[in-house]
Amino acid sequence: MSGRPFSSFYTTRLVGEIFMPPTRAVGDPSTDNQHKGRNGFPRGPNLRNSSSFKSKLPPSSAVRRSSPGALGAGADAVSGRVRVAVRLRPQNAEELEADADFADCVELQPELKRLKLRKNNWDSDTYEFDEVLTEYASQKRVYEVVAKPVVESVLEGYNGTVMAYGQTGTGKTYTLGRLGDEDTSARGIMVRSLEDIFSNISQETDTVTVSYLQLYMETIQDLLNPANDNISIVEDQKTGDVSLPGATVVEIRDQQSFVELLRIGEAHRFAANTKLNTESSRSHAFLMVQVRRSVLGRENDFTSEHDVSSNGVNNFKPPIIRKGKLVVVDLAGSERIHKSGSEGHMLEEAKSINLSLSALGKCINALAENSAHVPVRDSKLTRLLKDSFGGTSRTSLVITIGPSPRHRAETASTILFGQRAMKVENMLKIKEEFDYKSLSKRLEIQIEKLTAENERLQKACEDEVERIKLEAQKQISEAERDCAEALKEEKMKCQMDYMESIKQLEEKWMLNQTKHASNGFIGTSHAAEGGMPSGNDEVSELKKLLQNEVQQRKAAELEIKNLKDCLLKSMKPELAGGNADIFNLQKMLEEESQQRKKLEEEVIVLRHQLSQLTLEASQTTSCPDRSRTGNGFVGLDSVSSLRHLQFKDASDGERPSISNLHEKVGLHKILSLLESDDPNVRIHAVKVVANLAAEEANQEKIVEAGGLSSLLMLLRSYEDETIRRIAAGAVANLAMNEFNQELIMAQGGICLLAMTASDAEDPQTLRMVAGAVANLCGNDKLQTRLRSEGGIKALLGMVRSRHPDVLSQVARGIANFAKCESRAATQGTKHGRSLLIEDGALPWIVQNANNEASLIRRHVELALCHLAQHEVNAKDLISGGALWELVRISRDCSRDDIRALACRTLTSSPTFVAELRRLRIEV
């Protein structure tokens, strides 16, 4: 391993202990008498019914599932005794020659599940185990009776442990970690366990993650990442569970990738050549497999969820997620120094191994005797196995022994260890929780479906109303036209009759005038006697004609009036029919309005239920007791908070001494120490510079003396995590000044920060880098260059840490960048979409707009409001789901200024106003 001295006798760890068989048999561990490399192999058969080892469990230890309503650990806990199997290794070549004249010290009775340990030729001790495996037992048989019941329990949501214990060279690593490259029947428990797990999970809904560690000389090291060689154990103060947050966790999708991980891990494991074993393990190996399964609603494919009716909303039940953990422990073998021949560093390794195994034995003794005190803190081994013995895990132990009478004492000690372990009782608990994310997605789909159905019905209703309206208008127009034509014809007819009558009267009058003119007044007496009566008759006749004409005119007018009345009467049914159609139309509109109101109320209920489920999910997955080290970057859109940045390595009491050191030694002298060949000197020098940079009065002096260039050089040249963390923090402090920001960009600082962010895994280092980038994001002049050199991508890439301090700095940087863009758009110097949206920051912004951490939430809410102020971003925000978050901010945000900004943005944007009107949402 890198960074650790090696003795000449160390070798690369490839396989387990030696098996030297008297005969070769298929599937027998003796088929391989020397260590070989581990290669790939085909997948094994599907998980079958419970084996004989599991069928022996008494009824009281049968696995019982907790109720679906229980979250986290199962509500029901059942007793489960530790199961112990003993496996005898066949004689190797050395033992065949040395012990030819001696009988084996062990006699097995597998049918009775007994083992006899001979004291001498006539006396022996008898022990009973849950399973006795002879030297001819195949690897498949060992897996089925030892590990298969544990794997089945893990698939049901319980924790499970499979552990091998025994003297060095008795076959522990062969039993557990054999890859079976040349002979697939020789595959060990690790490989077969993952075969069964993959054959019983769904690749679409279930996940499997793996960590591979070793405990070497009381330090926990990552076999998948050798640089991570000192992992700390974190213990939950409430539940007492232990975890290793610093370990590498790899999600695997198939068996081949798992075998490759095992091969990588075994290549980094410590092994040495001793008198008892040419490949003796010098560390305890831990394979941790996390299985996450969805056990409710598997019969309902996700596509069928689109067919659920709106009135069945209350029938939605969240799927249940079961989380099982399988731990396979390959313990290093116990050894006696005078037999193994260990000396020097190997002797120290043997002492460490024996001390940890002794501590494990003490804990098992205390548990077997129901002692009030169990010394689990005596060793890191016992702390890691706290859940396996006396905890909530289903534990299966295989003890491996050799047949040689020369090692009878070690064999007897191993057998007694197994006997005591059989007395340990564990309380099995199922690990369940609700899958709120899946339910939220289903409810979102249902809301979208109901909204689309509502819009479709509304459009159909509007079309029908428009059609009926057009038909009514057409009928009214036709009736008005017909009435006008009839009135016009009748009026013309009356006028013609009237003119004809006048004409006739004029002709008669003219005729009478002509007649009077031709006759004159001859025969006056005659006229007096007989002409007068004739004139009177004509006058009377004329009067009668005039009266007749007057009566005819009145009759015509009366007839016109009657015709008008008839026309109005004939139009009334048509108008009444039109009124009935309008009444029916109004009735239909009222019914459609009521139905639409019901749909809107149902949509509101769905949204309320969705918000409640989302809140419960966030509360379930939150970690309220998260502790934070160091002083994080705080503040919303101001970088002044970075003035209080301090490191864990420097305390408040060191400030005066550092200031005195700066005045006495000189800044140039301190900066020159940054290039020292001594790592310790270099680390102390960068700490001093970082603490000086935290004070504004020293920043200008540091930059003038070339301190900024030196700090960037450290980021470029050194891979030491401590140096990079402290240097990044110092750069973050210097980046508070606008002049320094331009110098950092000019010297390629953003590229160095992006490279550091991509390589670093430590949350504190990422926090420092994110703080520096966040300060640079607040400079209006550096927006385009910051993005072109990968600053935004680097900022978004650091969210992989998921550490709240890192996320708060990422959110602050995005808020600063969005604010600068908004200011530039207002001034008319910024056109086009936001660079944040183009770099893919919008999904993360929407996802964290309602983050449980108030600091992160405020930054993201402010960033979202600034993005929404630019009209060109409106469509992207709507399609990305940001509109709903803006509405929530305008109603529920705790900050009055942010809430007012969200309201102003929603009401001033035409695109948002149109979309809110379409969705019937009021701000």
Side-chain angles (χ1 to χ4, degrees), residues 347-361:
L347 178 61
E348 297 301 322
E349 292 175 336
K351 289 180 181 179
S352 177
I353 292 170
N354 290 337
L355 284 175
S356 61
L357 293 176
S358 175
L360 176 61

Side-chain angles (χ1 to χ4, degrees), residues 87-99:
R87 186 181 193 186
L88 178 65
R89 173 183 58 77
Q91 288 181 317
N92 53 32
E94 180 183 355
E95 291 171 345
L96 287 173
E97 179 180 355
D99 301 335

Side-chain angles (χ1 to χ4, degrees), residues 682-734:
R682 191 165 55 247
I683 289 175
H684 286 294
V686 75
K687 286 181 181 179
V688 172
V689 174
N691 282 278
L692 290 174
E695 298 178 5
E696 186 177 4
N698 299 327
Q699 293 180 1
E700 184 178 358
K701 299 177 182 178
I702 293 175
V703 173
E704 290 177 354
L708 178 59
S709 301
S710 300
L711 291 171
L712 294 177
M713 180 271 296
L714 292 178
L715 292 178
R716 181 185 297 109
S717 305
Y718 291 94
E719 297 180 356
D720 185 86
E721 191 71 14
T722 302
I723 291 179
R724 293 199 300 177
R725 179 177 70 251
I726 302 173
V731 173
N733 285 331
L734 294 176

